[in-house]
């Protein structure tokens, strides 16, 4: 089941990448990043099933970091929304050359 | 892995894999953030089922509690707070060519990741068969994770707590706004 798990994980990760590229809504892009992190978690768990339990420890770390990232990122989105009244990334172009 | 699995196991593994991928596709094609969040929760549940089938029961419980429970509730809370639940507000892509380019990038990345996942690990890294099953029988599902977490990775664990503290402080400072800073 290792190859199948890795394939499912690769597909989910790619869906996350395509979502980040296609979407313009900052919140949906954030959710796509969460999907990518979860896809990597599946790889860790699949490898830990066959190569030792350390992978599950890393899943715990990834979950913690993604929770922290979600909290800070959504706070940034709220701050941007308060400033610009939008979460459309096309309209947030202050640093665009 | 050329182990033999019962048909029941294989069928459900593929079933939950298909559910996860189909929910992820539905998630990425939604325009409404609320619908997208709910499809993502469905993906998380299917992945939790896959974790159970891969003998990671505690991780599966954490997946449901942390991802489907906590993180997605925070997302929905922000959608509600900013009143962003209307689908038509933001166009989801910059045009047809951009969508095609994203699909091509996705295909290229998928082929790369698939190729990498076909590689064989060196034999010296390979644990004995059913290592995690015997491990889980010896300690329990939590002990399997807790032992390495509090022995080899104790420093990383403590640093994680610092990270969470920084994230809490950062979220409060960022979310508080300017008018309360002036005081």
């Amino acid at each position: 089941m290792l190859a199948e798990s890795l394939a499912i994980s690769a597909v989910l990760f790619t869906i996350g990448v395509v979502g980040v590229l296609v979407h313009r809504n900052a919140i949906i892009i954030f959710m796509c990043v969460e999907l990518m992190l979860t896809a990597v978690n599946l790889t860790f768990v699949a490898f830990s099933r066959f190569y030792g339990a350390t992978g599950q420890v890393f899943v715990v770390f990834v979950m913690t970091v993604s929770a922290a990232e979600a909290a800070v990122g959504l706070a940034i989105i709220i701050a941007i929304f308060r400033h610009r009244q939008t979460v459309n990334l096309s309209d947030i172009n202050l640093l665009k050359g | 892995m050329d182990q033999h699995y019962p048909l029941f196991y294989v069928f459900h593994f593929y079933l939950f894999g298909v559910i996860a991928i189909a929910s992820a596709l539905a998630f990425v094609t939604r325009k409404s953030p609320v619908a997208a969040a709910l499809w993502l929760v469905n993906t998380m549940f299917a992945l939790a089922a896959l974790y159970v089938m891969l003998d990671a029961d505690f991780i599966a419980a954490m997946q449901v509690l942390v991802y489907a429970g906590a993180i997605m509730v925070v997302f929905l809370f922000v959608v509600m707070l900013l009143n962003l639940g209307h689908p038509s507000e933001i166009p989801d892509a910059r045009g047809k060519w951009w969508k095609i380019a994203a699909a091509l990038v996705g295909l290229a990345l998928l082929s790369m990741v698939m190729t990498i996942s076909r590689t064989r690990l060196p034999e010296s890294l390979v644990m004995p068969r059913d290592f995690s099953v015997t491990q889980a029988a010896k300690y329990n599902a939590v002990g399997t994770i807790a032992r390495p977490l509090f022995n080899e990775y104790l420093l990383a664990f403590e640093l994680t707590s610092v990270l969470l503290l920084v994230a809490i402080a950062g979220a409060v400072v960022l979310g508080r706004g300017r008018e309360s800073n002036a005081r």
Side-chain angles (χ1 to χ4, degrees):
Chain A
M1 290 291 115
L2 181 61
E4 288 86 345
S5 302
L6 293 180
I8 292 168
S9 167
V11 171
L12 288 179
F13 189 90
T14 312
I15 290 173
V17 171
V18 171
V20 167
L21 290 177
V22 162
H23 278 285
R24 303 279 79 212
N25 188 330
I27 289 181
I28 295 187
I29 287 181
F30 247 102
M31 286 194 248
C32 290
V33 173
E34 297 291 333
L35 181 66
M36 285 154 73
L37 286 166
T38 321
V40 173
N41 278 353
L42 180 60
T43 308
F44 274 130
V45 170
F47 274 123
S48 87
R49 169 73 175 75
F50 297 100
Y51 301 110
T54 313
Q56 296 188 22
V57 178
F58 277 86
V59 173
V60 174
F61 288 139
V62 170
M63 278 184 183
T64 320
V65 170
S66 81
E69 170 250 336
V72 175
L74 288 170
I76 290 173
I77 289 177
I78 290 177
I80 289 175
F81 186 84
R82 197 179 283 141
H83 199 236
R84 308 286 298 253
Q85 304 300 319
T86 183
V87 289
N88 186 350
L89 291 189
S90 303
D91 294 344
I92 304 168
N93 51 7
L94 198 63
L95 288 178
K96 198 172 181 180
Chain B
M1 292 296 111
D2 41 12
Q3 273 172 298
H4 281 289
Y5 292 93
L7 184 63
F8 181 76
Y9 181 94
V10 176
F11 171 75
H12 282 91
F13 199 91
Y14 279 105
L15 176 70
F16 285 117
V18 166
I19 290 175
I21 290 171
S23 309
L25 280 174
F27 151 69
V28 92
T29 49
R30 285 316 96 168
K31 285 200 168 113
S32 155
V34 178
L38 292 179
W39 278 113
L40 188 56
V41 168
N42 206 24
T43 311
M44 299 296 182
F45 270 107
L47 278 171
L50 286 181
Y51 291 167
V52 171
M53 302 193 80
L54 290 167
D55 298 317
D57 303 14
F58 181 64
I59 296 293
M62 270 185 74
Q63 169 90 2
V64 173
L65 287 176
V66 175
Y67 269 115
I71 294 181
M72 297 320 295
V73 165
V74 173
F75 272 99
L76 287 176
F77 186 73
V78 169
V79 169
M80 209 174 65
L81 187 71
L82 303 183
N83 197 15
L84 298 172
H86 316 295
S88 58
E89 262 176 26
I90 294 171
D92 67 334
R94 279 169 269 194
K96 191 177 76 179
W97 290 107
W98 184 259
K99 269 184 190 166
I100 293 170
L104 287 178
V105 168
L107 280 177
L109 181 72
L110 186 64
S111 59
M112 277 193 281
V113 181
M114 286 291 199
T115 315
I116 292 170
S117 61
R118 291 255 174 273
T119 51
R120 290 260 157 260
L121 274 156
E123 282 300 312
S124 58
L125 282 178
V126 177
M127 294 283 168
R129 284 287 150 82
D130 293 330
F131 174 80
S132 63
V133 179
T134 49
Q135 192 86 349
K138 201 169 161 194
Y139 319 113
N140 44 40
V142 181
T144 315
I145 305 168
R147 270 167 199 282
L149 187 62
F150 290 105
N151 290 316
E152 292 133 275
Y153 301 101
L154 184 63
L155 179 64
F157 178 76
E158 298 293 346
L159 286 176
T160 307
S161 64
V162 177
L163 173 78
L164 279 177
L165 186 65
V166 171
I168 294 168
V172 168
V173 168
L174 284 169
R176 200 173 49 167
R178 189 169 288 156
E179 61 280 358
S180 52
N181 273 344
R183 268 188 267 130

